[in-house]
Amino acid sequence: MNRAVTISAGAAAGVATTVWAVRRRAARRAPLHVRAAITVNKPVGQVYSFWRDLELLPLFMNHLESVRTTGDRTSHWVAKAPAGRAVEWDARIVDDRPDELIAWRSVEGGDVPNDGTVRFAPAPGGRGTEVRVELRYDLPGGKAAALVAKLFGESPDQQVRDDLRRFKQVLETGEVVRSEGSPEGTRAFRQFAQRPAQPVEVGAR
Amino acid sequence: MKANQWMGKQKVKVAEVPDPRILNSRDAIIKITSTAICGSDLHLYNGYIPTLRKGDIIGHEFMGEVVEVGKGVGNLRVGDRVVVPFPISCGACDACEREQYSLCENSNPNAGMAEKLMGYSPAGLFGYSHMLGGYPGGQAEYARVPFADVGPVKIEDDLTDEQVLFLSDIFPTGFMGAEMCDIKPGQIVAVWGAGPVGQFAIASAYLLGASKVIAIDRFPYRLRMAREKAGAETIDYSRHDVGEALREMTAGRGPDAVIDAVGMEAHHSSPAIDAYDKAKQAGKLETDRAHALRQAIMNVRNGGIVSVIGVYGGWIDKFPMGTVVNRGLTIRSGQCHVQRYTKPLLERIRKREIDPSFVISHRLRLKDAPKAFETFLNKQDECTKVVLTP
Ligand SMILES: NC(=O)c1ccc[n+]([C@@H]2O[C@H](COP(=O)([O-])OP(=O)(O)OC[C@H]3O[C@@H](n4cnc5c(N)ncnc54)[C@H](O)[C@@H]3O)[C@@H](O)[C@H]2O)c1
Ligand SMILES: [Zn+2]
Ligand SMILES: [Zn+2]
């Protein structure tokens, strides 16, 4: 149990988005509220379906190891964590309106109570789909909350926005876009630790 | 492979680096046959573009032969000869669909960095700092070209490298500068800067129907090129009052449109003002010196268009907003949407309407890049444009 913390809180897409995205230090652990929005140049049906296929989420959510669907509305999530540790949880979708909205809430009694919503709407002027994500976390005391709080990055809004950017890249271009300065693609930590703009050697980081 | 790296203010070095490899399925690797130094590289060289880092490979005007393609590239084959546009563009986002390629919404992995400095992020560019993507440039033996199914333009006839190389940047840039002027028959366009970008802006303004183009610079050899090769009338701003001269040449109206092909390191003929801006720039109180832009704005006719293709990196001060508003001016600008122009301009080259190689003054080897940068920066030896071959 010291290598993997199981958080039995329910969560869906957005939880993952924010595992890296809660700013408060463990000591304070004020509730966190993050929003981000992006426009994706694809029809709303396609954008909704892509997000609803939760197993695809690790394609654009950096911190996610995997998502496994366990039922129509339930799934099991494994996030990457520092020093090889893992954070896992089960997610439950509480509202699901095709082409419109997916909402989730953590299960009663979880270590990190949270809820979140992703909304989809056709963008005006035929510009594809507006995607709006909203997430709320309670971070009370406890080991898991402390670890989760520690995992969360410096600027949660930026992190969520970066997740959405990768979501857009995957939908519009087929994959996460990589440069030699940021070979993993858009990732907040790389903004401060760029590789030089030089070719990446095999196996280099 | 060998590549030209930025090592600090006014210092570049050609050294060994790993060969590029495919990182995305729509990448191609190009073996570079010709690569040029741009006026924009001088802004990088001089350290005026934020987030350039020591060791970065620079250069964004290059062409060569395809040596490897990712599995997502259907239109190119090994052996194809291509010119590569300097903006990296996905072809699928809203901006790309509207042909605003330098505003591609997907090609900058460091968009967060650009947002902090500029509000929203533009496209990633080759060899042009980390806030613009952190992509290595093309002053090298090889380059990785992302979205190779969108940008590179195949050259299938016997046109030489020198005739087509500038489709990568400066010919489209000059052309876009002229296009933004909305030139109507009988109109007069004034172009600040008779560098390679200015030369193409002049030539393009004529291609688009200007009746007269006036070039403004202080280097006699560049003004001579503007007259003899591009057909401009010229003003040497170090010897004449530009405002007076333009008034005279346009019978008191002012040019219908003006093009800033100078950018953030403009020189001022009044030593006091030049020193003022240089000091502020050195102290980071303003990042850019905008003499040419200010002068262009002051001298365009009422209701005229100000087309800014010279590059600015950050902030300027003493911006004459009063004249913009009260005289109803329109300002247009942008990094060039190169992909929009490559095919039509290649067609014009094929039809011999223009031979872009006229701007080349120096042909050197890639290993000579440090010397070439110095010569181009200081406009020594009548240097207008340097082409390097690996
Ligand atoms: N927008 C784009 O996509 C794009 C693309 C390529 C280059 N550029 C920019 O275009 C500009 C010119 O590039 P270049 O390759 O021709 O560079 P260059 O350095 O060869 O030419 C600049 C010219 O401007 C002249 N100049 C300086 N101060 C002046 C002043 N006050 N009035 C009139 N002329 C003045 C210089 O004497 C020089 O001849 C640069 O800022 C470059 O970054 C923009
Ligand atoms: Zn350039
Ligand atoms: Zn794009």
PDB file of all heavy atoms in Angstrom, chain A residues 41 161 165 168 172 175-176 178-182 186 194-195 197-198 200, chain B residues 18 21 24-25 55-57 92 105-106 109-110 115 130 133-134 136 144:
ATOM      1  N   ASN A  41     -11.893  21.462 -34.103  1.00  0.00           N
ATOM      2  CA  ASN A  41     -12.454  21.580 -35.454  1.00  0.00           C
ATOM      3  C   ASN A  41     -12.967  20.238 -35.983  1.00  0.00           C
ATOM      4  O   ASN A  41     -12.502  19.726 -36.996  1.00  0.00           O
ATOM      5  CB  ASN A  41     -11.374  22.151 -36.380  1.00  0.00           C
ATOM      6  CG  ASN A  41     -11.923  22.600 -37.723  1.00  0.00           C
ATOM      7  OD1 ASN A  41     -13.116  22.844 -37.850  1.00  0.00           O
ATOM      8  ND2 ASN A  41     -11.059  22.686 -38.720  1.00  0.00           N
ATOM      9  N   ARG A 161      -5.504  23.105 -19.504  1.00  0.00           N
ATOM     10  CA  ARG A 161      -5.493  23.650 -20.860  1.00  0.00           C
ATOM     11  C   ARG A 161      -4.573  22.819 -21.762  1.00  0.00           C
ATOM     12  O   ARG A 161      -4.882  22.560 -22.919  1.00  0.00           O
ATOM     13  CB  ARG A 161      -5.018  25.102 -20.823  1.00  0.00           C
ATOM     14  CG  ARG A 161      -5.703  25.937 -21.880  1.00  0.00           C
ATOM     15  CD  ARG A 161      -5.224  27.362 -21.865  1.00  0.00           C
ATOM     16  NE  ARG A 161      -5.570  28.056 -20.638  1.00  0.00           N
ATOM     17  CZ  ARG A 161      -4.890  29.104 -20.182  1.00  0.00           C
ATOM     18  NH1 ARG A 161      -3.843  29.565 -20.832  1.00  0.00           N
ATOM     19  NH2 ARG A 161      -5.255  29.696 -19.080  1.00  0.00           N
ATOM     20  N   ARG A 165      -5.389  20.858 -25.112  1.00  0.00           N
ATOM     21  CA  ARG A 165      -4.639  21.076 -26.353  1.00  0.00           C
ATOM     22  C   ARG A 165      -4.255  19.748 -26.989  1.00  0.00           C
ATOM     23  O   ARG A 165      -4.346  19.570 -28.204  1.00  0.00           O
ATOM     24  CB  ARG A 165      -3.358  21.864 -26.056  1.00  0.00           C
ATOM     25  CG  ARG A 165      -3.508  23.340 -26.263  1.00  0.00           C
ATOM     26  CD  ARG A 165      -2.125  23.972 -26.325  1.00  0.00           C
ATOM     27  NE  ARG A 165      -1.736  24.499 -25.041  1.00  0.00           N
ATOM     28  CZ  ARG A 165      -2.008  25.732 -24.637  1.00  0.00           C
ATOM     29  NH1 ARG A 165      -2.677  26.555 -25.413  1.00  0.00           N
ATOM     30  NH2 ARG A 165      -1.622  26.149 -23.462  1.00  0.00           N
ATOM     31  N   LYS A 168      -7.256  18.162 -28.541  1.00  0.00           N
ATOM     32  CA  LYS A 168      -7.489  18.796 -29.853  1.00  0.00           C
ATOM     33  C   LYS A 168      -6.513  18.261 -30.902  1.00  0.00           C
ATOM     34  O   LYS A 168      -6.903  17.934 -32.022  1.00  0.00           O
ATOM     35  CB  LYS A 168      -7.334  20.317 -29.676  1.00  0.00           C
ATOM     36  CG  LYS A 168      -7.439  21.156 -30.941  1.00  0.00           C
ATOM     37  CD  LYS A 168      -7.237  22.627 -30.549  1.00  0.00           C
ATOM     38  CE  LYS A 168      -6.978  23.525 -31.752  1.00  0.00           C
ATOM     39  NZ  LYS A 168      -8.201  23.790 -32.518  1.00  0.00           N
ATOM     40  N   GLU A 172      -7.669  16.452 -34.199  1.00  0.00           N
ATOM     41  CA  GLU A 172      -7.499  17.163 -35.471  1.00  0.00           C
ATOM     42  C   GLU A 172      -6.351  16.620 -36.321  1.00  0.00           C
ATOM     43  O   GLU A 172      -6.419  16.637 -37.546  1.00  0.00           O
ATOM     44  CB  GLU A 172      -7.282  18.666 -35.214  1.00  0.00           C
ATOM     45  CG  GLU A 172      -8.524  19.352 -34.668  1.00  0.00           C
ATOM     46  CD  GLU A 172      -8.365  20.854 -34.464  1.00  0.00           C
ATOM     47  OE1 GLU A 172      -7.242  21.384 -34.637  1.00  0.00           O
ATOM     48  OE2 GLU A 172      -9.364  21.495 -34.123  1.00  0.00           O
ATOM     49  N   GLU A 175      -2.536  12.695 -33.638  1.00  0.00           N
ATOM     50  CA  GLU A 175      -1.614  12.323 -32.562  1.00  0.00           C
ATOM     51  C   GLU A 175      -1.137  13.566 -31.818  1.00  0.00           C
ATOM     52  O   GLU A 175      -1.407  14.690 -32.237  1.00  0.00           O
ATOM     53  CB  GLU A 175      -0.417  11.543 -33.109  1.00  0.00           C
ATOM     54  CG  GLU A 175       0.394  12.298 -34.137  1.00  0.00           C
ATOM     55  CD  GLU A 175       1.394  11.425 -34.894  1.00  0.00           C
ATOM     56  OE1 GLU A 175       1.987  10.530 -34.278  1.00  0.00           O
ATOM     57  OE2 GLU A 175       1.575  11.659 -36.091  1.00  0.00           O
ATOM     58  N   VAL A 176      -0.443  13.333 -30.714  1.00  0.00           N
ATOM     59  CA  VAL A 176       0.128  14.438 -29.960  1.00  0.00           C
ATOM     60  C   VAL A 176       1.342  14.962 -30.718  1.00  0.00           C
ATOM     61  O   VAL A 176       2.177  14.193 -31.194  1.00  0.00           O
ATOM     62  CB  VAL A 176       0.533  13.970 -28.544  1.00  0.00           C
ATOM     63  CG1 VAL A 176       1.344  15.041 -27.822  1.00  0.00           C
ATOM     64  CG2 VAL A 176      -0.714  13.608 -27.741  1.00  0.00           C
ATOM     65  N   ARG A 178       4.862  16.624 -31.388  1.00  0.00           N
ATOM     66  CA  ARG A 178       6.118  16.656 -30.640  1.00  0.00           C
ATOM     67  C   ARG A 178       7.143  17.555 -31.301  1.00  0.00           C
ATOM     68  O   ARG A 178       7.257  17.583 -32.518  1.00  0.00           O
ATOM     69  CB  ARG A 178       6.711  15.245 -30.560  1.00  0.00           C
ATOM     70  CG  ARG A 178       5.793  14.268 -29.867  1.00  0.00           C
ATOM     71  CD  ARG A 178       6.206  12.829 -30.090  1.00  0.00           C
ATOM     72  NE  ARG A 178       5.060  11.953 -29.868  1.00  0.00           N
ATOM     73  CZ  ARG A 178       4.561  11.677 -28.670  1.00  0.00           C
ATOM     74  NH1 ARG A 178       5.131  12.158 -27.583  1.00  0.00           N
ATOM     75  NH2 ARG A 178       3.500  10.918 -28.546  1.00  0.00           N
ATOM     76  N   SER A 179       7.895  18.290 -30.507  1.00  0.00           N
ATOM     77  CA  SER A 179       9.050  19.008 -31.031  1.00  0.00           C
ATOM     78  C   SER A 179      10.269  18.479 -30.292  1.00  0.00           C
ATOM     79  O   SER A 179      10.142  17.772 -29.301  1.00  0.00           O
ATOM     80  CB  SER A 179       8.913  20.520 -30.814  1.00  0.00           C
ATOM     81  OG  SER A 179       9.138  20.852 -29.453  1.00  0.00           O
ATOM     82  N   GLU A 180      11.448  18.840 -30.760  1.00  0.00           N
ATOM     83  CA  GLU A 180      12.649  18.378 -30.088  1.00  0.00           C
ATOM     84  C   GLU A 180      12.794  19.050 -28.727  1.00  0.00           C
ATOM     85  O   GLU A 180      13.311  18.460 -27.789  1.00  0.00           O
ATOM     86  CB  GLU A 180      13.880  18.635 -30.967  1.00  0.00           C
ATOM     87  CG  GLU A 180      14.049  17.608 -32.093  1.00  0.00           C
ATOM     88  CD  GLU A 180      13.051  17.739 -33.240  1.00  0.00           C
ATOM     89  OE1 GLU A 180      12.194  18.641 -33.219  1.00  0.00           O
ATOM     90  OE2 GLU A 180      13.127  16.919 -34.179  1.00  0.00           O
ATOM     91  N   GLY A 181      12.314  20.300 -28.604  1.00  0.00           N
ATOM     92  CA  GLY A 181      12.339  20.969 -27.297  1.00  0.00           C
ATOM     93  C   GLY A 181      11.370  20.323 -26.322  1.00  0.00           C
ATOM     94  O   GLY A 181      11.629  20.270 -25.121  1.00  0.00           O
ATOM     95  N   SER A 182      10.251  19.828 -26.832  1.00  0.00           N
ATOM     96  CA  SER A 182       9.217  19.163 -26.024  1.00  0.00           C
ATOM     97  C   SER A 182       8.854  17.822 -26.653  1.00  0.00           C
ATOM     98  O   SER A 182       7.783  17.661 -27.219  1.00  0.00           O
ATOM     99  CB  SER A 182       7.948  20.032 -25.959  1.00  0.00           C
ATOM    100  OG  SER A 182       8.144  21.164 -25.176  1.00  0.00           O
ATOM    101  N   THR A 186       3.062  18.738 -25.632  1.00  0.00           N
ATOM    102  CA  THR A 186       2.731  19.767 -24.649  1.00  0.00           C
ATOM    103  C   THR A 186       2.699  19.209 -23.232  1.00  0.00           C
ATOM    104  O   THR A 186       1.851  18.374 -22.911  1.00  0.00           O
ATOM    105  CB  THR A 186       1.332  20.332 -24.980  1.00  0.00           C
ATOM    106  OG1 THR A 186       1.392  20.879 -26.284  1.00  0.00           O
ATOM    107  CG2 THR A 186       0.902  21.388 -23.991  1.00  0.00           C
ATOM    108  N   GLN A 194      13.031  22.825 -21.065  1.00  0.00           N
ATOM    109  CA  GLN A 194      13.115  22.500 -22.475  1.00  0.00           C
ATOM    110  C   GLN A 194      14.412  21.777 -22.802  1.00  0.00           C
ATOM    111  O   GLN A 194      15.467  22.121 -22.276  1.00  0.00           O
ATOM    112  CB  GLN A 194      13.066  23.794 -23.294  1.00  0.00           C
ATOM    113  CG  GLN A 194      11.694  24.391 -23.393  1.00  0.00           C
ATOM    114  CD  GLN A 194      10.871  23.712 -24.462  1.00  0.00           C
ATOM    115  OE1 GLN A 194      11.142  23.805 -25.632  1.00  0.00           O
ATOM    116  NE2 GLN A 194       9.859  22.995 -24.022  1.00  0.00           N
ATOM    117  N   ARG A 195      14.319  20.782 -23.694  1.00  0.00           N
ATOM    118  CA  ARG A 195      15.542  20.264 -24.300  1.00  0.00           C
ATOM    119  C   ARG A 195      16.004  21.328 -25.286  1.00  0.00           C
ATOM    120  O   ARG A 195      15.211  22.132 -25.751  1.00  0.00           O
ATOM    121  CB  ARG A 195      15.238  18.992 -25.095  1.00  0.00           C
ATOM    122  CG  ARG A 195      14.987  17.735 -24.301  1.00  0.00           C
ATOM    123  CD  ARG A 195      14.921  16.537 -25.234  1.00  0.00           C
ATOM    124  NE  ARG A 195      16.218  16.172 -25.783  1.00  0.00           N
ATOM    125  CZ  ARG A 195      16.705  16.548 -26.952  1.00  0.00           C
ATOM    126  NH1 ARG A 195      16.024  17.310 -27.766  1.00  0.00           N
ATOM    127  NH2 ARG A 195      17.892  16.161 -27.350  1.00  0.00           N
ATOM    128  N   ALA A 197      16.791  22.809 -28.928  1.00  0.00           N
ATOM    129  CA  ALA A 197      16.171  22.526 -30.220  1.00  0.00           C
ATOM    130  C   ALA A 197      17.207  21.823 -31.096  1.00  0.00           C
ATOM    131  O   ALA A 197      17.804  22.394 -32.002  1.00  0.00           O
ATOM    132  CB  ALA A 197      15.680  23.818 -30.865  1.00  0.00           C
ATOM    133  N   GLN A 198      17.438  20.571 -30.762  1.00  0.00           N
ATOM    134  CA  GLN A 198      18.383  19.693 -31.453  1.00  0.00           C
ATOM    135  C   GLN A 198      17.747  18.317 -31.537  1.00  0.00           C
ATOM    136  O   GLN A 198      16.950  17.958 -30.681  1.00  0.00           O
ATOM    137  CB  GLN A 198      19.673  19.527 -30.643  1.00  0.00           C
ATOM    138  CG  GLN A 198      20.591  20.707 -30.660  1.00  0.00           C
ATOM    139  CD  GLN A 198      21.882  20.406 -29.902  1.00  0.00           C
ATOM    140  OE1 GLN A 198      22.159  19.268 -29.548  1.00  0.00           O
ATOM    141  NE2 GLN A 198      22.640  21.445 -29.658  1.00  0.00           N
ATOM    142  N   VAL A 200      16.594  14.574 -31.172  1.00  0.00           N
ATOM    143  CA  VAL A 200      16.515  13.731 -29.979  1.00  0.00           C
ATOM    144  C   VAL A 200      17.157  12.391 -30.299  1.00  0.00           C
ATOM    145  O   VAL A 200      16.747  11.713 -31.235  1.00  0.00           O
ATOM    146  CB  VAL A 200      15.032  13.479 -29.608  1.00  0.00           C
ATOM    147  CG1 VAL A 200      14.928  12.683 -28.316  1.00  0.00           C
ATOM    148  CG2 VAL A 200      14.289  14.800 -29.481  1.00  0.00           C
TER     149      VAL A 200
ATOM    150  N   PRO B  18      23.243  14.994 -33.027  1.00  0.00           N
ATOM    151  CA  PRO B  18      22.643  13.744 -33.531  1.00  0.00           C
ATOM    152  C   PRO B  18      21.840  14.005 -34.809  1.00  0.00           C
ATOM    153  O   PRO B  18      21.370  15.117 -35.031  1.00  0.00           O
ATOM    154  CB  PRO B  18      21.697  13.327 -32.394  1.00  0.00           C
ATOM    155  CG  PRO B  18      22.155  14.078 -31.193  1.00  0.00           C
ATOM    156  CD  PRO B  18      22.790  15.336 -31.678  1.00  0.00           C
ATOM    157  N   ARG B  21      15.408  12.303 -36.203  1.00  0.00           N
ATOM    158  CA  ARG B  21      14.637  11.087 -36.462  1.00  0.00           C
ATOM    159  C   ARG B  21      13.156  11.418 -36.372  1.00  0.00           C
ATOM    160  O   ARG B  21      12.764  12.446 -35.828  1.00  0.00           O
ATOM    161  CB  ARG B  21      15.040   9.971 -35.512  1.00  0.00           C
ATOM    162  CG  ARG B  21      14.829  10.311 -34.064  1.00  0.00           C
ATOM    163  CD  ARG B  21      15.374   9.207 -33.174  1.00  0.00           C
ATOM    164  NE  ARG B  21      15.112   9.495 -31.778  1.00  0.00           N
ATOM    165  CZ  ARG B  21      14.030   9.083 -31.116  1.00  0.00           C
ATOM    166  NH1 ARG B  21      13.108   8.377 -31.720  1.00  0.00           N
ATOM    167  NH2 ARG B  21      13.866   9.397 -29.843  1.00  0.00           N
ATOM    168  N   ASN B  24       6.866  12.032 -35.118  1.00  0.00           N
ATOM    169  CA  ASN B  24       5.429  11.925 -35.378  1.00  0.00           C
ATOM    170  C   ASN B  24       5.241  11.236 -36.730  1.00  0.00           C
ATOM    171  O   ASN B  24       6.095  11.350 -37.607  1.00  0.00           O
ATOM    172  CB  ASN B  24       4.774  13.315 -35.434  1.00  0.00           C
ATOM    173  CG  ASN B  24       4.451  13.878 -34.058  1.00  0.00           C
ATOM    174  OD1 ASN B  24       5.008  14.885 -33.632  1.00  0.00           O
ATOM    175  ND2 ASN B  24       3.553  13.234 -33.360  1.00  0.00           N
ATOM    176  N   SER B  25       4.080  10.587 -36.884  1.00  0.00           N
ATOM    177  CA  SER B  25       3.925   9.781 -38.096  1.00  0.00           C
ATOM    178  C   SER B  25       3.836  10.622 -39.371  1.00  0.00           C
ATOM    179  O   SER B  25       4.059  10.119 -40.464  1.00  0.00           O
ATOM    180  CB  SER B  25       2.706   8.877 -37.973  1.00  0.00           C
ATOM    181  OG  SER B  25       1.550   9.676 -37.923  1.00  0.00           O
ATOM    182  N   GLY B  55      22.564  26.561 -27.882  1.00  0.00           N
ATOM    183  CA  GLY B  55      22.586  25.222 -28.467  1.00  0.00           C
ATOM    184  C   GLY B  55      21.472  24.964 -29.471  1.00  0.00           C
ATOM    185  O   GLY B  55      21.496  23.956 -30.179  1.00  0.00           O
ATOM    186  N   ASP B  56      20.513  25.868 -29.546  1.00  0.00           N
ATOM    187  CA  ASP B  56      19.417  25.678 -30.494  1.00  0.00           C
ATOM    188  C   ASP B  56      19.923  25.771 -31.939  1.00  0.00           C
ATOM    189  O   ASP B  56      20.681  26.684 -32.278  1.00  0.00           O
ATOM    190  CB  ASP B  56      18.326  26.744 -30.296  1.00  0.00           C
ATOM    191  CG  ASP B  56      17.524  26.530 -29.019  1.00  0.00           C
ATOM    192  OD1 ASP B  56      17.694  25.473 -28.372  1.00  0.00           O
ATOM    193  OD2 ASP B  56      16.724  27.425 -28.670  1.00  0.00           O
ATOM    194  N   ILE B  57      19.462  24.850 -32.766  1.00  0.00           N
ATOM    195  CA  ILE B  57      19.783  24.911 -34.195  1.00  0.00           C
ATOM    196  C   ILE B  57      18.822  25.904 -34.838  1.00  0.00           C
ATOM    197  O   ILE B  57      17.609  25.811 -34.659  1.00  0.00           O
ATOM    198  CB  ILE B  57      19.617  23.529 -34.860  1.00  0.00           C
ATOM    199  CG1 ILE B  57      20.562  22.523 -34.193  1.00  0.00           C
ATOM    200  CG2 ILE B  57      19.862  23.622 -36.359  1.00  0.00           C
ATOM    201  CD1 ILE B  57      20.326  21.087 -34.634  1.00  0.00           C
ATOM    202  N   ALA B  92      -5.243  21.001 -40.623  1.00  0.00           N
ATOM    203  CA  ALA B  92      -6.562  20.507 -40.226  1.00  0.00           C
ATOM    204  C   ALA B  92      -7.292  21.412 -39.244  1.00  0.00           C
ATOM    205  O   ALA B  92      -8.503  21.302 -39.090  1.00  0.00           O
ATOM    206  CB  ALA B  92      -6.422  19.120 -39.606  1.00  0.00           C
ATOM    207  N   GLU B 105      -3.084  26.029 -34.974  1.00  0.00           N
ATOM    208  CA  GLU B 105      -3.420  25.882 -33.554  1.00  0.00           C
ATOM    209  C   GLU B 105      -2.818  24.634 -32.924  1.00  0.00           C
ATOM    210  O   GLU B 105      -2.936  24.433 -31.718  1.00  0.00           O
ATOM    211  CB  GLU B 105      -4.958  25.832 -33.419  1.00  0.00           C
ATOM    212  CG  GLU B 105      -5.623  27.116 -33.887  1.00  0.00           C
ATOM    213  CD  GLU B 105      -7.107  26.942 -34.234  1.00  0.00           C
ATOM    214  OE1 GLU B 105      -7.708  25.941 -33.807  1.00  0.00           O
ATOM    215  OE2 GLU B 105      -7.630  27.823 -34.947  1.00  0.00           O
ATOM    216  N   ASN B 106      -2.183  23.806 -33.739  1.00  0.00           N
ATOM    217  CA  ASN B 106      -1.703  22.536 -33.194  1.00  0.00           C
ATOM    218  C   ASN B 106      -0.196  22.355 -33.209  1.00  0.00           C
ATOM    219  O   ASN B 106       0.314  21.411 -32.617  1.00  0.00           O
ATOM    220  CB  ASN B 106      -2.331  21.371 -33.973  1.00  0.00           C
ATOM    221  CG  ASN B 106      -3.799  21.196 -33.639  1.00  0.00           C
ATOM    222  OD1 ASN B 106      -4.179  21.224 -32.476  1.00  0.00           O
ATOM    223  ND2 ASN B 106      -4.633  21.045 -34.662  1.00  0.00           N
ATOM    224  N   PRO B 109       3.983  22.930 -29.456  1.00  0.00           N
ATOM    225  CA  PRO B 109       3.853  22.188 -28.199  1.00  0.00           C
ATOM    226  C   PRO B 109       4.096  23.094 -26.992  1.00  0.00           C
ATOM    227  O   PRO B 109       3.731  22.736 -25.877  1.00  0.00           O
ATOM    228  CB  PRO B 109       4.941  21.118 -28.273  1.00  0.00           C
ATOM    229  CG  PRO B 109       5.449  21.135 -29.663  1.00  0.00           C
ATOM    230  CD  PRO B 109       5.133  22.480 -30.240  1.00  0.00           C
ATOM    231  N   ASN B 110       4.709  24.225 -27.215  1.00  0.00           N
ATOM    232  CA  ASN B 110       4.968  25.153 -26.114  1.00  0.00           C
ATOM    233  C   ASN B 110       3.997  26.328 -26.148  1.00  0.00           C
ATOM    234  O   ASN B 110       4.347  27.461 -25.782  1.00  0.00           O
ATOM    235  CB  ASN B 110       6.415  25.644 -26.166  1.00  0.00           C
ATOM    236  CG  ASN B 110       7.394  24.491 -26.022  1.00  0.00           C
ATOM    237  OD1 ASN B 110       7.073  23.467 -25.408  1.00  0.00           O
ATOM    238  ND2 ASN B 110       8.572  24.635 -26.600  1.00  0.00           N
ATOM    239  N   GLU B 115       1.562  31.850 -24.892  1.00  0.00           N
ATOM    240  CA  GLU B 115       0.381  32.531 -24.342  1.00  0.00           C
ATOM    241  C   GLU B 115       0.774  33.541 -23.279  1.00  0.00           C
ATOM    242  O   GLU B 115       0.193  34.615 -23.192  1.00  0.00           O
ATOM    243  CB  GLU B 115      -0.581  31.504 -23.733  1.00  0.00           C
ATOM    244  CG  GLU B 115      -1.419  30.804 -24.781  1.00  0.00           C
ATOM    245  CD  GLU B 115      -2.379  29.785 -24.187  1.00  0.00           C
ATOM    246  OE1 GLU B 115      -2.272  29.482 -22.975  1.00  0.00           O
ATOM    247  OE2 GLU B 115      -3.231  29.299 -24.948  1.00  0.00           O
ATOM    248  N   HIS B 130      11.931  28.758 -28.370  1.00  0.00           N
ATOM    249  CA  HIS B 130      11.117  27.721 -27.724  1.00  0.00           C
ATOM    250  C   HIS B 130       9.665  28.125 -27.585  1.00  0.00           C
ATOM    251  O   HIS B 130       8.780  27.284 -27.640  1.00  0.00           O
ATOM    252  CB  HIS B 130      11.745  27.327 -26.384  1.00  0.00           C
ATOM    253  CG  HIS B 130      12.994  26.522 -26.592  1.00  0.00           C
ATOM    254  ND1 HIS B 130      13.015  25.153 -26.553  1.00  0.00           N
ATOM    255  CD2 HIS B 130      14.248  26.909 -26.935  1.00  0.00           C
ATOM    256  CE1 HIS B 130      14.240  24.723 -26.836  1.00  0.00           C
ATOM    257  NE2 HIS B 130      15.012  25.774 -27.071  1.00  0.00           N
ATOM    258  N   GLY B 133       7.865  26.820 -30.382  1.00  0.00           N
ATOM    259  CA  GLY B 133       7.849  25.382 -30.616  1.00  0.00           C
ATOM    260  C   GLY B 133       9.052  24.592 -30.138  1.00  0.00           C
ATOM    261  O   GLY B 133       8.946  23.429 -29.819  1.00  0.00           O
ATOM    262  N   GLY B 134      10.254  25.210 -30.163  1.00  0.00           N
ATOM    263  CA  GLY B 134      11.452  24.437 -29.822  1.00  0.00           C
ATOM    264  C   GLY B 134      11.816  23.436 -30.907  1.00  0.00           C
ATOM    265  O   GLY B 134      12.310  22.352 -30.620  1.00  0.00           O
ATOM    266  N   PRO B 136      14.205  22.370 -34.062  1.00  0.00           N
ATOM    267  CA  PRO B 136      15.499  22.694 -34.672  1.00  0.00           C
ATOM    268  C   PRO B 136      15.287  23.284 -36.062  1.00  0.00           C
ATOM    269  O   PRO B 136      14.314  22.943 -36.740  1.00  0.00           O
ATOM    270  CB  PRO B 136      16.199  21.337 -34.780  1.00  0.00           C
ATOM    271  CG  PRO B 136      15.454  20.414 -33.883  1.00  0.00           C
ATOM    272  CD  PRO B 136      14.056  20.938 -33.800  1.00  0.00           C
ATOM    273  N   ARG B 144      14.154  17.429 -39.526  1.00  0.00           N
ATOM    274  CA  ARG B 144      12.858  16.747 -39.416  1.00  0.00           C
ATOM    275  C   ARG B 144      11.785  17.760 -39.782  1.00  0.00           C
ATOM    276  O   ARG B 144      11.769  18.879 -39.260  1.00  0.00           O
ATOM    277  CB  ARG B 144      12.624  16.263 -37.988  1.00  0.00           C
ATOM    278  CG  ARG B 144      11.248  15.616 -37.794  1.00  0.00           C
ATOM    279  CD  ARG B 144      11.055  15.106 -36.372  1.00  0.00           C
ATOM    280  NE  ARG B 144      10.829  16.181 -35.413  1.00  0.00           N
ATOM    281  CZ  ARG B 144       9.633  16.542 -34.937  1.00  0.00           C
ATOM    282  NH1 ARG B 144       8.541  15.931 -35.352  1.00  0.00           N
ATOM    283  NH2 ARG B 144       9.537  17.527 -34.060  1.00  0.00           N
TER     284      ARG B 144
END
